[in-house]
Amino acid sequence: MSQQLNNESQKRHSNKAYSANTDKPRKDVSQIISSLEQDFSSFLKQDENRYQEYLKTMSKFHNYSFNNTLLIAMQRPDATLVTGYRNWQSMGRQVKKGEKGITIIAPAPIKRKKEQAVLDQDQKPVIGPDGKPKTEEVEVTLPCFKAITVFDIEQTTGEPIQTLAPEILTAAVEDFDLFLQAIREISPVPIRFDAIEGSANGYYHNLDKEIVIKKEMSQSQTLKTAIHETAHARLHDKEIMENQGIEKDRLTKEVEAESVAYCVCSAFELDTSEYSFPYIAGWSSGKEMRELKASMDVIRKTAGEMIDELTEKIEMMLEQKQEKLLAAVEAAGYRFAKEESNSQHLQFIPDGTHRMQGHLFAKSWNEVERWVDAIIEKGQPI
């Protein structure tokens, strides 16, 4: 999962702005947005792989706006870490000669002075000696945006940058029980397993307020289904939607839940090969741009929240797990050589007080756990 830099406020390095239909420069942000709105509908109507590319980009840049996520997806869908030209230089990297930048939209607020009425504590105009309302000059900030150019890390050379999420998270993908527990903790309703008739792998029960997942599925499918149904529980609870005056047809709900699940799975490098979106073109064809953008914003926001929450939970649980394993390894007479270790090479050396000889090596903390479990199984003291 890519660590992201907040580059939406970086200074513009190039005059060229993105245009889907032409290579000619475009400096007007409104023109860029207008072009995006025209292109997005056709983007959805293309083969499902294009939509999946967009969702993968969204999973890596879930803190970005809808417009910027789409701009990155349409210009460089394989981007993982982007920022401005000068910002790359400040980090010891240089944009390669001849590289074409990625245009996104950044806030560029404008400050203006204006006269406004002076109000009392009751928010009523204060009257001056001349019988007229008093005024004062104040500075106001007007929202404004501009097109800026950023570059992906693959377009640069120089000092190495940490582009992956903490390696500890990659290990969590292999730890089914831990990952499932993290999903349980961010789900708004309880999750239970049961036999389910028919083809459904799971469902969110609006009346019982629970998620039910089919028993005895593969670990990968179980995690995907848990994430999908958690998205339904967050987005499509009947009472919450009625209270907020929201109406969505069944297909829209399914597109939103499936898209959120795809983003989250992509972010954690869970297998996404079984996902399919054959209904996207049909779903989008009857909708106005406003409705499409609303759903995409919901997908982006929900996926981003779930990615951040799962990251926090998993980091905490893996840290606790590692502390327990370290205690067990130390009890067995070994000390963790942190300086000589990395995510694929864990080294443990004798502590000098036990009758231990030689170093121990492991490729992951899961391997360390299996080693500890094997010792316990044999009845050896720890």
Side-chain angles (χ1 to χ4, degrees):
M1 184 176 67
S2 300
Q3 179 186 5
Q4 300 156 19
L5 299 180
N6 182 2
N7 55 49
E8 297 194 321
S9 60
Q10 295 299 321
K11 293 184 178 180
R12 186 179 176 188
H13 172 66
S14 168
N15 291 326
K16 292 186 178 180
Y18 168 76
S19 167
N21 302 315
T22 176
D23 290 331
K24 294 180 180 178
R26 275 190 177 173
K27 300 179 183 179
D28 193 302
V29 171
S30 62
Q31 285 182 303
I32 296 173
I33 294 175
S34 176
S35 174
L36 275 181
E37 291 182 349
Q38 293 172 17
D39 294 331
F40 185 56
S41 295
S42 59
F43 187 82
L44 289 178
K45 291 178 176 63
Q46 295 178 27
D47 67 278
E48 63 186 68
N49 292 331
R50 292 299 303 277
Y51 182 65
Q52 288 174 306
E53 283 180 8
Y54 169 70
L55 293 180
K56 283 183 180 178
T57 303
M58 183 186 287
S59 74
K60 291 177 285 188
F61 299 97
H62 59 268
N63 292 322
Y64 283 49
S65 67
F66 163 79
N67 286 331
N68 281 338
T69 306
L70 186 56
L71 281 167
I72 294 171
M74 298 180 83
Q75 295 171 86
R76 196 177 181 95
D78 59 344
T80 58
L81 184 65
V82 302
T83 193
Y85 185 90
R86 295 191 184 281
N87 204 32
W88 278 127
Q89 288 182 322
S90 72
M91 292 186 287
R93 297 188 69 85
Q94 181 64 45
V95 175
K96 300 173 188 175
K97 188 175 181 179
E99 288 288 346
K100 185 178 180 181
I102 306 163
T103 297
I104 63 172
I105 300 166
I110 300 173
K111 292 184 177 181
R112 292 280 188 268
K113 293 183 183 286
K114 74 168 189 175
E115 291 287 327
Q116 72 175 26
V118 177
L119 304 177
D120 62 19
Q121 59 183 9
D122 297 321
Q123 298 300 302
K124 294 181 179 179
V126 175
I127 305 302
D130 58 359
K132 297 180 180 179
K134 281 187 175 182
T135 62
E136 61 181 351
E137 187 178 68
V138 297
E139 186 176 76
V140 296
T141 302
L142 304 176
C144 194
F145 298 87
K146 67 177 181 179
I148 65 168
T149 299
V150 295
F151 297 86
D152 181 50
I153 188 170
E154 290 299 320
Q155 297 176 280
T156 68
T157 58
E159 295 296 322
I161 300 290
Q162 178 77 16
T163 59
L164 297 178
E167 288 150 347
I168 197 169
L169 292 179
T170 306
V173 176
E174 303 170 8
D175 199 325
F176 171 77
D177 291 335
L178 183 145
F179 206 102
L180 181 60
Q181 182 58 34
I183 298 171
R184 286 182 186 275
E185 293 194 15
I186 71 164
S187 171
V189 298
I191 297 176
R192 70 178 177 88
F193 291 83
D194 205 344
I196 299 177
E197 294 182 4
S199 60
N201 291 326
Y203 59 86
Y204 168 57
H205 201 293
N206 261 299
L207 295 178
D208 294 343
K209 306 299 180 190
E210 67 173 2
I211 289 170
V212 181
I213 298 175
K214 182 185 287 187
K215 295 192 298 184
E216 299 176 355
M217 293 195 299
S218 68
Q219 292 184 350
S220 175
Q221 187 60 59
T222 296
L223 293 177
K224 292 177 189 178
T225 302
I227 294 169
H228 178 104
E229 299 305 332
T230 298
H232 272 310
R234 283 178 169 233
L235 295 175
H236 308 135
D237 179 81
K238 186 177 180 181
E239 290 180 13
I240 294 176
M241 291 181 69
E242 286 178 352
N243 291 337
Q244 295 178 351
I246 299 173
E247 292 184 9
K248 292 179 181 178
D249 57 49
R250 184 176 179 180
L251 184 54
T252 297
K253 293 177 185 177
E254 197 57 34
V255 168
E256 290 180 351
E258 190 78 342
S259 298
V260 168
Y262 186 90
C263 284
V264 176
C265 287
S266 293
F268 287 97
E269 298 182 359
L270 291 172
D271 178 26
T272 57
S273 60
E274 294 178 13
Y275 278 86
S276 177
F277 297 89
Y279 41 76
I280 291 296
W283 168 72
S284 63
S285 61
K287 297 192 178 298
E288 298 293 332
M289 188 62 202
R290 179 179 56 82
E291 294 176 282
L292 289 175
K293 287 185 70 173
S295 273
M296 300 316 298
D297 277 332
V298 164
I299 292 166
R300 179 187 58 81
K301 181 175 181 293
T302 306
E305 289 172 350
M306 290 180 67
I307 290 167
D308 290 340
E309 291 170 24
L310 281 170
T311 298
E312 183 179 351
K313 295 289 183 185
I314 290 169
E315 283 182 324
M316 182 178 65
M317 288 190 288
L318 281 173
E319 187 175 331
Q320 292 171 348
K321 179 179 177 178
Q322 286 186 12
E323 287 174 359
K324 290 180 182 179
L325 288 174
L326 283 175
V329 171
E330 288 171 3
Y334 289 92
R335 178 175 63 83
F336 179 44
K338 188 175 182 181
E339 304 78 19
E340 286 78 31
S341 300
N342 56 48
S343 62
Q344 284 86 37
H345 177 84
L346 305 176
Q347 185 172 343
F348 301 87
I349 60 178
D351 61 11
T353 61
H354 293 71
R355 293 181 180 179
M356 300 292 177
Q357 293 184 352
H359 294 193
L360 292 178
F361 302 94
K363 295 180 180 178
S364 69
W365 285 102
N366 284 337
E367 191 173 315
V368 175
E369 184 177 31
R370 289 191 291 271
W371 179 77
V372 170
D373 289 343
I375 292 179
I376 295 174
E377 242 181 73
K378 291 177 181 177
Q380 297 179 14
I382 285 186

